[in-house]
């Protein structure tokens, strides 16, 4: 009986997929949040899970040192239930630094922290181009004399501190906050150029916000409450139970973590943040560390479980992509064939039951899903390429006479008229009709008794480019419409992938029954190795005694408006730090 209960428990294990919105320094607010997916975890009774900066990209993580401060510990007393006090968010404090809700902070004193706006950045400063520190503070270059410079901290254009610094010397500037002086800028004057237009270079720059936040025991952050704020850590616990059921959207920590549970299975969840995000960001996967001092080869593997930007099918519980790194024991580089990216197609059935009668080649009874650089595609076959899946859901929508539905890539669906139980539908491409049909729901249609179907030949394969289930006619006062569901729309622009093609540092070596890419030449690993056109591999080294450990992590760039991200004070000012430093943190 005990074994039977154990098997039942295993069979009803709940799996959570975390979709993570990057928490990054906000320079320009955005209208919508960015989703990232994190590790797959079980939420069955008795499960204990810890999420942190290593495995969950929403938390702060230094890609140059591997430093992280935050963790979220979850204990499930029942399937999908976290009792009061069993969810703990902890931010440890180390050498005066910490992280809170995904951002790095400097600790002024117990319970008083301020955001670390720049970490070990660099900047060139010219006279007349001031360094804006926020809240009315700025750093001004007043002049240079040979190898020394006169720097002045001002608040609202009023001098606060003026310092004469020699080239190569370290500096710090303090601001008075709530009656106490705190360091808000520190770094090194690394170069002085005495010329007609003098310029100085600042390096190892750390800038801290002049608007700190106070954290006290008893403060509430959504359903969490601060239980400890000391010189060792900041701790929050849930003050109410957290329940998860199929179809739920549950907030764990406000502005940090939301779980989205799938509609019909206990394995789906999402993690997102809807505030304080920027349009430029980089999203990393789980960090894996190998010891390069021993005499054995090393390998690292990332799938959708450990790299949330790889494609994952939430409802059908499968992934197709895999990134693998293999290193020889004696080499400090990636050998030929040591870096592999592959994706294996998986056949999925159509959501529209009438489409199961569609019997054309690769699309017979369903289509083959394949992830490519994290995006969902339909696999056409050996050397036939991939087509993007633009629409495939089971949502219903109503469309009224004369109304158009934007399907993507210039396609629209329009109701041209409704005559009793007959619906006149037109598929348009760039406002030109390419297909029309009259559907009488339950009586006659292009396929079965409800389905509109528009086919198109792509690379010699007949593709059901767009189909939709016409459920019924809607009659109203003075207006009529139609109820639609199961829309399925493929792109008509295939991505060609053939053996010998190069994507980033890799070459296609196989296109059937799966797509496989390998490096044909040896590669040096470092802070940013382009694997494919979208996937990058970063790394950093740490030496402890005689052991040399190398940490690898995959990431994807999502940079939309770089100019709005880099902190500048005038159009001539030089960015304080590189895009990589700013987006990934140091």
């Amino acid at each position: 009986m005990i074994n039977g209960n154990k098997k039942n428990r295993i069979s009803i294990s709940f799996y959570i997929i975390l979709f993570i919105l990057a928490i990054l320094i906000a320079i320009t607010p955005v209208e919508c949040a960015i989703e990232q997916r994190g590790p797959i975890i079980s939420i069955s009774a008795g499960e204990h899970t810890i999420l942190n900066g290593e495995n969950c990209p929403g938390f702060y993580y230094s890609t140059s040192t591997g430093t992280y401060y935050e963790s979220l510990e979850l204990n499930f007393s029942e399937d999908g239930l976290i009792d009061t006090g069993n969810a703990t968010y902890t931010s440890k404090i180390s050498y005066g630094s910490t992280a809170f809700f995904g951002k790095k902070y400097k600790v002024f004193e117990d319970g008083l922290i301020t955001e670390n706006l720049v970490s070990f950045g660099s900047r060139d400063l010219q006279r007349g181009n001031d360094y804006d520190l926020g809240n009315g503070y700025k750093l001004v270059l007043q002049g240079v004399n040979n190898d020394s410079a006169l720097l002045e901290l001002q608040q609202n254009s009023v001098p606060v501190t003026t310092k004469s610094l020699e080239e190569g010397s370290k500096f710090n500037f303090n601001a008075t906050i709530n009656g106490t002086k705190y360091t808000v800028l520190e770094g090194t004057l690394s170069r002085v150029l005495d010329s007609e237009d003098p310029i100085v270079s600042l390096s190892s720059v750390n800038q801290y916000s002049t608007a700190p936040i106070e954290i006290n025991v008893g403060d509430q952050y959504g359903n969490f409450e601060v239980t400890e704020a000391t010189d060792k850590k900041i701790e929050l616990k849930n003050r109410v139970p957290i329940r998860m059921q199929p179809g739920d959207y549950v907030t764990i920590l406000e502005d940090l973590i939301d779980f989205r549970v799938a509609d019909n299975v206990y394995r789906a969840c999402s993690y997102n943040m809807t505030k304080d995000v920027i349009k430029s960001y980089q999203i990393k996967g789980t960090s894996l560390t190998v010891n390069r001092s021993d005499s054995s080869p090393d390998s690292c593997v990332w799938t959708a479980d450990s790299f949330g930007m790889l494609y994952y099918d939430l409802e059908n519980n499968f992934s197709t992509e895999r990134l693998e790194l293999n290193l020889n024991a004696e080499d400090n580089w990636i050998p030929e064939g040591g870096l592999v990216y592959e994706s294996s197609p998986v056949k999925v059935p159509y959501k529209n039951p009438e489409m199961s009668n569609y019997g054309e080649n690769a699309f017979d009874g369903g289509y083959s899903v394949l992830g490519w650089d994290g995006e969902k595609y339909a696999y056409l076959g050996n050397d036939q390429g991939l087509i993007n899946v633009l629409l495939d859901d089971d949502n219903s929508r109503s469309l009224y006479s004369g109304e158009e539905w934007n399907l993507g890539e210039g396609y629209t669906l329009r109701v041209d008229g409704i005559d009793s139980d007959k619906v006149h539908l037109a598929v348009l491409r760039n406002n030109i009709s390419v297909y029309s049909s009259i559907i009488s729901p339950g009586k006659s249609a292009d396929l079965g008794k409800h389905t509109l179907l528009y086919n198109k030949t792509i690379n010699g394969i007949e593709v059901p480019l767009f189909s939709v289930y016409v459920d019924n006619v809607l009659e109203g006062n003075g207006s009529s419409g139609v109820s639609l569901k199961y829309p399925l729309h493929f792109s008509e622009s295939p991505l060609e992938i053939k053996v010998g093609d190069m994507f980033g540092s890799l070459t296609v070596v196989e296109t059937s029954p799966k797509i496989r890419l390998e490096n044909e030449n040896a590669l040096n690993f470092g802070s940013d190795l382009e694997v494919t056109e979208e996937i990058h591999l970063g790394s950093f080294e740490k030496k402890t005694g005689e052991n040399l450990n190398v940490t690898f992590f995959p990431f994807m760039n999502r940079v939309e408006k770089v100019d709005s991200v880099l902190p500048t004070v005038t159009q001539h000012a030089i960015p304080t730090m590189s895009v990589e430093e700013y987006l990934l943190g140091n």
Side-chain angles (χ1 to χ4, degrees), residues 219-457:
D219 289 350
Q220 294 182 0
Y221 292 80
N223 291 329
F224 277 64
E225 182 176 304
V226 178
T227 56
E228 187 174 339
T230 67
D231 60 346
K232 302 296 183 184
K233 66 179 180 180
I234 299 169
E235 181 184 86
L236 286 74
K237 289 182 176 290
N238 62 313
R239 54 190 178 86
V240 295
I242 300 171
R243 298 181 183 274
M244 303 178 198
Q245 295 293 332
D248 283 351
Y249 191 93
V250 182
T251 294
I252 307 298
L253 281 169
E254 283 192 2
D255 304 333
L256 185 66
I257 300 176
D258 295 338
F259 283 173
R260 183 187 303 135
V261 184
D263 292 334
N264 56 6
V265 285
Y266 291 104
R267 69 165 168 267
C269 180
S270 70
Y271 171 110
N272 72 58
M273 290 151 281
T274 57
K275 297 180 181 179
D276 205 22
V277 294
I278 57 175
K279 283 192 174 181
S280 299
Y281 52 95
Q282 293 183 349
I283 306 169
K284 83 170 193 67
T286 300
S287 301
L288 299 178
T289 301
V290 297
N291 184 356
R292 299 300 293 153
S293 301
D294 56 24
S295 57
S296 61
D298 296 299
S299 64
C300 300
V301 176
W302 293 272
T303 62
D305 183 14
S306 51
F307 185 22
M309 292 304 290
L310 299 182
Y311 174 73
Y312 183 83
D313 186 300
L314 188 66
E315 298 297 334
N316 296 306
N317 189 26
F318 71 83
S319 60
T320 74
E321 296 174 278
R322 172 187 173 95
L323 179 64
E324 183 174 348
L325 172 67
N326 294 291
L327 303 174
N328 295 330
E330 65 277 4
D331 299 330
N332 290 322
W333 58 81
I334 303 172
E336 178 182 340
L339 188 58
V340 177
Y341 168 79
E342 63 182 26
S343 189
S344 303
V346 176
K347 193 71 170 279
V348 297
Y350 294 113
K351 293 181 172 66
N352 181 348
E354 292 188 338
M355 284 294 292
S356 62
N357 298 321
Y358 187 86
E360 294 293 332
N361 46 63
F363 293 88
D364 181 15
Y367 65 95
S368 294
V369 172
L370 183 141
W372 177 262
D373 277 344
E375 296 292 330
K376 181 181 180 181
Y377 284 84
Y379 176 69
L380 298 181
N382 186 21
D383 280 345
Q384 300 299 312
L386 315 173
I387 52 175
N388 196 230
V389 182
L390 304 176
L391 274 175
D392 185 11
D393 62 54
D394 52 11
N395 297 326
S396 299
R397 67 169 295 156
S398 299
L399 203 62
Y400 291 90
S401 185
E403 189 179 0
E404 292 188 2
W405 179 7
N406 183 7
L407 305 175
E409 290 196 351
Y411 278 93
T412 55
L413 178 68
R414 185 178 67 202
V415 178
D416 280 345
I418 297 176
D419 182 11
S420 183
D421 64 344
K422 296 179 180 180
V423 183
H424 298 251
L425 295 171
V427 179
L428 297 88
R429 175 81 160 97
N430 296 329
N431 297 318
I432 298 175
S433 179
V434 294
Y435 181 75
S436 63
S437 183
I438 298 175
I439 308 294
S440 181
K443 296 180 180 179
S444 63
D446 295 339
L447 185 66
K449 296 181 179 181
H450 293 268
T451 300
L452 176 143
L453 176 61
Y454 169 53
N455 292 315
K456 188 165 186 177
T457 301

Side-chain angles (χ1 to χ4, degrees), residues 15-61:
Y15 292 99
I16 287 189
I17 313 298
L18 298 175
F19 294 94
I20 303 171
L21 277 169
I23 298 183
L24 294 168
I25 302 170
I27 299 298
T28 304
V30 295
E31 295 178 356
C32 59
I34 308 299
E35 279 197 338
Q36 301 179 54
R37 186 175 50 75
I40 303 169
I41 66 172
S42 171
I43 58 170
S44 300
E47 288 293 336
H48 172 240
T49 298
I50 297 178
L51 304 176
N52 54 41
E54 278 191 323
N55 61 17
C56 219
F59 295 115
Y60 172 82
Y61 181 87

Side-chain angles (χ1 to χ4, degrees), residues 66 113 116 144 349 471 494:
I113 62 177
N116 197 163
V144 301
D471 197 13

Side-chain angles (χ1 to χ4, degrees), residues 52-74:
N52 54 41
E54 278 191 323
N55 61 17
C56 219
F59 295 115
Y60 172 82
Y61 181 87
S62 170
T63 57
S64 60
T65 64
T67 301
Y68 63 91
Y69 305 90
E70 302 165 279
S71 65
L72 178 64
E73 188 172 354
L74 305 174

Side-chain angles (χ1 to χ4, degrees), residues 24 60-64 119 580-586:
L24 294 168
Y60 172 82
Y61 181 87
S62 170
T63 57
S64 60
S119 293
E580 290 77 14
E581 286 176 317
Y582 187 83
L583 300 180
L584 284 172
N586 276 283

